[in-house]
């Protein structure tokens, strides 16, 4: 089959978005789209191209003093009667239009059409962002070839509706346990009810005052919430165990360790097990390429509330932000779509930043 990413398509970020959307690439099925992307990148004399799994990496090697990253994932969530794309004169609908083939298209468009950028650029077109972390293409690159991630600044073209979202909150899950003594419900005084003791844990949660912090002009709002409760043995048994699962979203001025210590303080006196965690990312927007990028956008950055691959770069000490044409509120939805002029505006801004 001929490559749909023709030269006429590659020079037009809107047409390129549509072409990428129309190659189905639900996570795990990125071979075809990665092949197409790799082929057009390999045709560019100014890029050195490598592939790891279905992640394609293209680098300029111009000896510039600074290197920046532009990254977009190739995969989408499962289709929902929204494939292939449809388009009118303002909007394109379809799976991945917002999250994030419109952003990925901008990166690919620049990779091909910007042979002489003012920074050296590493482009990542990566697999499996929408599924468990172990399969994430950027994680795999970081594990196998960490030097490929090295840069002074990274832009992930995840949907932000054309604003800059910097840093991201960390997330931690934990189980808080109460214990008691099992007994027959008819002789309950012989037992000690672990579910009743959960009341105090829940009270601490409802009394909890979440912190708000401002870092580099971005406002982060933390949250500590119960997300599940389990307990109970049978209808005639005083339960001897109860578990409250909590989720803590923490601002990036706390490390994972500090977040865990905080949870141990909040739930002092109870057994607590941290079951999962991912660090936040400081916005770090004072690095020169970041500052130049922000000056061009002319807007104050907002804090990113969810966890994104920005944190992967931040963990390596590389300031990173999200900037993409899609609307994050439309991601993963049946009526997912993107505004065509947001794609044009995003491509323009990044071109002015890179090509000067
Ligand atoms: Zn995404």
């Amino acid at each position: 089959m001929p490559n749909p990413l023709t030269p006429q398509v590659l020079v037009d970020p809107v047409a390129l978005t549509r072409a990428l959307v129309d190659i189905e690439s639900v996570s795990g099925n990125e071979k075809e789209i990665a092949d197409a992307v790799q082929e057009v990148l390999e045709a560019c004399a100014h890029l050195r191209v490598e592939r790891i799994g279905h992640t394609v990496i293209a680098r300029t090697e111009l000896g510039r003093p600074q290197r920046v990253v532009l990254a977009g994932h190739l995969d989408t969530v499962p289709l929902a009667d929204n494939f292939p794309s449809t388009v009118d004169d303002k909007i394109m609908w379809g799976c991945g239009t917002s999250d994030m083939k419109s952003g990925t298209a901008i990166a690919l468009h620049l990779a091909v059409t910007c042979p002489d950028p003012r920074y050296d650029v590493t482009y990542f077109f990566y697999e499996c962002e929408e599924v468990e972390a172990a399969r994430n293409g950027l994680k795999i690159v970081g594990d196998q070839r960490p030097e490929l991630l090295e840069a002074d600044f990274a832009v992930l073209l995840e949907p932000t509706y054309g604003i800059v979202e910097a840093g991201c909150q960390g997330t931690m899950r934990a189980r808080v346990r109460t214990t008691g003594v099992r007994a027959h419900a008819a002789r309950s005084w012989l037992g000690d009810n672990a579910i009743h003791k959960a009341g105090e844990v829940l009270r601490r949660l409802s009394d909890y005052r979440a912190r708000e912090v401002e870092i580099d002009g971005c406002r982060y709002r933390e949250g500590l919430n119960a997300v599940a409760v389990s307990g109970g043995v049978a209808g005639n048994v005083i339960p001897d165990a109860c578990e409250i699962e909590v989720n803590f979203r923490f601002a990036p001025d706390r490390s994972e360790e500090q977040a865990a210590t905080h949870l141990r303080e909040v739930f002092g006196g109870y057994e607590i097990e941290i079951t999962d965690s991912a660090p936040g990312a400081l916005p770090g927007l004072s690095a020169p390429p970041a500052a130049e990028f922000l000056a061009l956008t002319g807007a104050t950055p907002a804090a990113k509330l969810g966890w994104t691959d920005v944190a992967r770069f931040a963990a390596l000490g590389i300031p990173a932000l999200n900037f993409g044409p899609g609307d994050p509120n439309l991601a993963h939805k049946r009526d997912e779509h993107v505004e065509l002029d947001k794609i044009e505006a995003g491509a323009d801004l990044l071109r002015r930043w890179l090509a000067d």
Side-chain angles (χ1 to χ4, degrees):
M1 204 183 70
N3 193 329
L5 311 182
T6 60
Q8 304 89 289
V9 164
L10 287 161
V11 296
D12 175 355
V14 169
L16 183 51
T17 299
R18 187 155 198 212
L20 291 176
V21 170
D22 289 343
I23 304 175
E24 187 263 291
S25 59
V26 175
S27 311
N29 193 33
E30 295 94 333
K31 180 180 184 305
E32 184 184 346
I33 195 169
D35 286 350
V37 167
Q38 182 180 7
E39 187 184 341
V40 297
L41 291 170
E42 278 177 344
C44 298
H46 63 281
L47 294 173
R48 211 176 81 194
V49 181
E50 292 187 57
R51 176 157 169 170
I52 298 176
H54 297 320
T55 295
V56 184
I57 305 124
R59 298 162 59 88
T60 64
E61 282 172 352
L62 302 163
R64 303 279 192 260
Q66 282 170 317
R67 175 172 290 280
V68 300
V69 162
L70 291 186
H73 59 81
L74 293 171
D75 62 321
T76 69
V77 295
L79 308 180
D81 302 321
N82 53 5
F83 179 89
S85 62
T86 52
V87 69
D88 66 17
D89 56 349
K90 288 200 171 66
I91 291 175
M92 187 188 307
W93 287 267
C95 186
T97 46
S98 165
D99 185 8
M100 64 174 283
K101 287 180 173 173
S102 50
T104 302
I106 292 176
L108 183 57
H109 163 74
L110 292 170
V112 172
T113 61
C114 199
D116 192 30
R118 52 205 280 247
Y119 312 108
D120 268 313
V121 190
T122 309
Y123 298 93
F124 290 97
F125 302 96
Y126 64 103
E127 62 179 330
C128 285
E129 191 275 344
E130 299 286 6
V131 289
E132 66 273 20
R135 293 165 64 193
N136 181 300
L138 274 186
K139 180 190 185 297
I140 292 169
V141 171
D143 290 346
Q144 296 185 7
R145 302 279 308 281
E147 74 281 3
L148 289 176
L149 296 180
E150 278 166 22
D152 298 285
F153 175 52
V155 177
L156 283 99
L157 288 107
E158 289 280 8
T160 64
Y161 204 52
I163 66 161
V164 172
E165 292 187 335
C168 74
Q169 306 221 96
T171 176
M172 178 165 285
R173 286 195 301 170
R175 291 198 184 113
V176 184
R177 292 199 182 92
T178 61
T179 52
V181 177
R182 216 182 260 211
H184 195 297
R187 295 179 188 81
S188 58
W189 56 90
L190 298 176
D192 180 18
N193 192 317
I195 291 182
H196 293 186
K197 291 181 181 171
E200 165 64 12
V201 175
L202 297 175
R203 193 186 58 72
R204 288 189 198 180
L205 282 163
S206 55
D207 288 352
Y208 184 79
R209 285 288 171 84
R211 212 169 52 116
E212 271 186 47
V213 222
E214 195 170 305
I215 307 164
D216 278 7
C218 301
R219 191 149 203 88
Y220 294 89
R221 193 168 168 190
E222 297 191 326
L224 176 61
N225 287 281
V227 291
V229 178
S230 60
V233 181
N236 57 356
V237 177
I238 302 301
D240 58 351
C242 180
E243 246 179 36
I244 299 100
E245 187 179 341
V246 299
N247 181 259
F248 183 34
R249 298 287 166 148
F250 54 96
D253 62 337
R254 297 190 204 259
S255 65
E256 286 173 281
E257 204 177 7
Q258 287 165 333
T261 303
H262 180 66
L263 289 189
R264 290 200 177 90
E265 281 163 15
V266 172
F267 300 108
Y270 293 93
E271 187 190 329
I272 175 166
E273 183 197 350
I274 310 292
T275 53
D276 186 34
S277 94
L282 284 165
L285 301 176
S286 44
E292 284 158 28
F293 180 79
L294 284 178
L296 265 184
T297 66
T300 2
K304 183 82 191 166
L305 299 179
W307 197 90
T308 80
D309 278 315
V310 158
R312 204 175 297 286
F313 288 96
L316 299 169
I318 302 166
L321 53 76
N322 287 293
F323 172 78
D327 178 345
N329 298 317
L330 298 171
H332 306 187
K333 294 182 78 166
R334 208 171 266 278
D335 66 341
E336 179 173 355
H337 57 267
V338 64
E339 293 166 31
L340 307 186
D341 58 4
K342 289 275 179 200
I343 303 176
E344 307 272 15
D348 266 12
L349 189 134
L350 283 163
R351 172 177 296 284
R352 273 184 282 137
W353 174 60
L354 272 189
D356 191 25

